[in-house]
């Protein structure tokens, strides 16, 4: 039984308005470019996007912001995006800022069937507001909730037809966590190979987490800050983290 | 690099020992990497999923799939490993990263750190800073002693939203080095050219002066 779908447009067709999406990627690295563009074309709106960042003005999740398809972002860092800023200030866009490690663990927990966990991160800060606190061995911890998405969108380097995924270098980031935390997980890959072609020892995301696989195309793999050795440092994009 | 920043960075380099696993924050802390002695084997952790950051790539060899937490293109050293974000923060929260060197906006005499948000300015987010201050076994903050407006950034209490409460082990500024101990904040070193009086006049926080420094004065 193959999980491959003919196109990204087909694979995202049943994502309804108002869905919660967990989206892999860190900055513009390892983002599901093809699936995001399919959602832009489809016009699905009122989305809650759980993703470490929200892209830049004209790429990544920034494309869905520009078209006002996102109602709420759950992220750790959103400082690269002017569209974000204007929509946030005008009250059109709701934002939940979550420390990066807590965000990663909330998604991991969601995918692993764990409804909540305790972490010291955020104790004594605004992150602790309204959260249960508990002491273990003399140290204070916050209760944080697991996150499950209606859909997860992830980007792999290679996928097989059973949905087993392999990522490349630091494009792995949030993708394996997102894959496990989607009720329906859609993976796009640079290359799709027959089941059996990947070494089972090298699979990062077992296919059980993935319901649909699509062939990505026209990868731009934009670089946010091109830095090279030698004559100075060339910086692309705005100042920020 | 300005003189004051250079003094901070060069002092911060001395915190790093052979064999350590270190996470360097964005900005001034990242510059520390350029000065780690070549004879030392140090693994730099990047919270987006790389243990063993190497130098920036040569022109034409940048790989969009290989970046650091500042989203800059980097390389990986021999012996490096890649992992997902949950694993990365398990490594951090679990105390497996020995040292984090982070930038600061304000540090209080209690060892509180504020470095992620200025009310009234656009909120960008805390990224991994709140996790690092609780997870790394030792937290060193590097920052200029005074703000651009001539106010002390070394506070009795932070005025900006906190990144973490009582999380700083050591503060390195362009004037001095402070430790945060059970007994409170202690001035342990003066930067070259700085005097005890100068530090006193530029510091809002209350601190003790280490015995060696007091003696040096006599």
């Amino acid at each position: 039984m193959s999980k491959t779908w003919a196109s990204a447009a087909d694979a995202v067709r049943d994502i309804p308005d108002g869905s919660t999406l967990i989206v892999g990627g860190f900055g513009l690295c390892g983002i599901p470019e093809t699936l995001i563009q399919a959602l832009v074309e489809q016009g699905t709106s009122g989305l809650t996007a759980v993703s470490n960042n929200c892209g830049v003005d004209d790429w990544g999740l920034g494309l869905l912001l520009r078209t006002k398809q996102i109602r709420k972002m759950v992220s750790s860092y959103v400082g690269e995006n002017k569209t974000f800023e204007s929509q946030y200030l005008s009250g059109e866009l709701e934002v939940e800022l979550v420390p990066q490690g807590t965000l990663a663990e909330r998604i991991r927990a969601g995918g692993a069937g764990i409804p909540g966990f305790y972490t010291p991160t955020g104790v004594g800060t605004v992150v602790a507001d309204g959260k249960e606190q508990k002491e273990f061995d003399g140290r204070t911890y916050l209760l944080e909730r697991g996150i499950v998405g209606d859909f997860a969108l992830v980007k792999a380097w290679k996928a097989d037809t059973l949905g087993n995924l392999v990522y490349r270098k630091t494009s792995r980031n949030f993708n394996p966590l997102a894959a496990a935390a989607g009720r329906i997980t859609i993976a796009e890959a640079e290359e799709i190979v027959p089941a059996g072609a990947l070494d089972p020892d090298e699979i990062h995301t077992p296919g059980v987490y993935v319901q649909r696989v699509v062939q990505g195309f026209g990868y731009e793999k934009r670089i946010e800050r091109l830095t090279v050795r030698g004559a100075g440092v060339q910086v692309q994009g705005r100042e920020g983290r | 690099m300005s003189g004051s920043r250079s003094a901070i960075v060069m002092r911060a380099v001395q915190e790093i020992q052979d064999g350590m696993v270190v996470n360097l924050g964005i900005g001034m802390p990242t510059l520390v990497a350029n000065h780690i002695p070549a004879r030392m084997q140090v693994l730099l952790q990047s919270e987006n999923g790389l243990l063993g950051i190497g130098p920036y790539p040569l022109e034409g060899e940048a790989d969009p799939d290989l970046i650091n937490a500042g989203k800059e293109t980097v390389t990986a050293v021999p012996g490096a490993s890649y992992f997902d974000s949950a694993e990365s923060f398990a490594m951090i929260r679990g105390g497996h990263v020995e040292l984090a060197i982070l930038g600061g906006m304000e540090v209080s005499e209690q060892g509180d750190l504020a470095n992620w948000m200025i009310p009234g300015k656009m909120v960008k987010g805390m990224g991994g800073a709140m996790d690092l201050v609780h997870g790394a076994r030792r937290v060193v903050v590097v920052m200029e002693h005074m703000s651009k407006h001539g106010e002390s950034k070394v506070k009795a209490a932070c005025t900006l939203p906190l990144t973490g409460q009582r999380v700083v082990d050591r503060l390195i500024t362009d004037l001095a080095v402070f430790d945060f101990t059970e007994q409170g904040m202690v001035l342990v070193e003066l930067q070259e050219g700085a005097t005890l009086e100068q530090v006193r006049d530029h510091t809002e926080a209350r601190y003790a002066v280490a015995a060696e420094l007091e003696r040096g004065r006599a």
Side-chain angles (χ1 to χ4, degrees), chain B residues 126-173:
Chain B
M126 65 291 279
M130 287 190 181
D131 307 278
L132 278 160
V133 294
H134 283 283
R137 288 220 291 277
R138 181 171 162 77
V139 174
V140 173
V141 171
V142 293
M143 69 176 189
E144 273 148 339
H145 206 99
M146 308 292 284
S147 74
K148 273 179 280 191
H149 313 293
E151 285 172 27
S152 179
K153 294 163 74 172
V154 188
K155 298 283 191 190
C158 291
T159 60
L160 296 172
L162 294 185
T163 305
Q165 220 169 26
R166 295 173 185 260
V167 291
V168 182
D169 293 295
R170 175 166 278 187
L171 168 65
I172 300 172
T173 77

Side-chain angles (χ1 to χ4, degrees), chain A residues 10-30:
Chain A
D10 284 344
V12 303
R13 189 151 291 145
D14 62 349
I15 298 182
D17 290 350
S19 299
T20 295
L21 308 180
I22 305 183
V23 185
F26 182 96
L28 299 180
C29 182

Side-chain angles (χ1 to χ4, degrees), chain A residues 105-128:
Chain A
E105 191 63 15
R106 288 181 66 187
I107 299 170
R108 195 201 70 80
I114 294 174
F117 59 91
Y118 289 98
T119 175
T121 302
V123 170
T125 76
V126 294
V127 168

Side-chain angles (χ1 to χ4, degrees), chain B residues 112-127:
Chain B
D112 300 344
L113 170 66
N115 76 349
W116 74 280
M117 179 187 177
I118 301 174
K121 288 208 175 179
M122 185 57 201
V123 176
K124 294 185 167 204
M126 65 291 279

Side-chain angles (χ1 to χ4, degrees), chain A residues 53 76-78 85 97 100-102 120-121 125 139 168-170 173-174 221 225-229 241, chain B residues 47 56-57 62-67 70-73 84-85 89 93 122-127 131 134 162:
Chain A
N53 312 97
S76 87
Y77 190 79
V78 291
E85 186 169 339
L97 288 172
Q100 194 175 134
T102 297
T121 302
T125 76
R139 197 174 174 196
R168 185 169 174 272
K169 301 187 177 179
T170 57
N173 56 60
F174 281 78
K221 290 199 183 181
R225 292 181 218 293
L226 178 64
T227 41
V228 293
R229 241 177 293 177
R241 187 161 207 281
Chain B
E47 61 266 27
Y56 291 131
D63 182 341
D65 289 337
L66 182 47
I67 63 170
K71 291 146 193 160
E72 300 172 325
T73 47
D84 68 52
S85 299
F89 283 93
R93 219 186 290 101
M122 185 57 201
V123 176
K124 294 185 167 204
M126 65 291 279
D131 307 278
H134 283 283
L162 294 185

Side-chain angles (χ1 to χ4, degrees), chain A residues 26 54 80 96 98 127 132 135 137 142 157 175 180 193 207 220 227 238-239:
Chain A
F26 182 96
C54 66
E80 323 284 359
E96 181 182 343
V98 181
V127 168
E132 181 193 317
E135 240 182 60
D137 305 321
L142 298 182
W157 179 36
N175 281 299
V193 299
E220 290 197 23
T227 41
R238 261 185 301 284
E239 192 61 27

Side-chain angles (χ1 to χ4, degrees), chain A residues 152-236:
Chain A
L153 309 181
V154 304
K155 154 71 179 38
W157 179 36
K158 291 181 191 172
D160 73 14
T161 49
L162 288 176
N164 292 304
L165 306 179
V166 178
Y167 310 94
R168 185 169 174 272
K169 301 187 177 179
T170 57
S171 74
R172 193 182 317 180
N173 56 60
F174 281 78
N175 281 299
L177 322 173
R183 291 195 185 92
I184 295 178
T185 292
I186 312 172
E188 62 172 85
E190 291 176 51
E191 186 187 356
I192 300 175
V193 299
L198 297 173
D199 179 347
D201 261 339
E202 288 174 1
I203 289 167
H204 298 129
T205 293
V208 68
Y209 297 118
V210 178
Q211 281 70 45
R212 303 171 189 175
V213 177
V214 299
Q215 174 69 53
F217 58 86
Y219 278 107
E220 290 197 23
K221 290 199 183 181
R222 288 198 199 171
I223 291 174
E224 240 171 295
R225 292 181 218 293
L226 178 64
T227 41
V228 293
R229 241 177 293 177
V233 169
Q234 198 186 333
V235 178
Q236 286 195 338

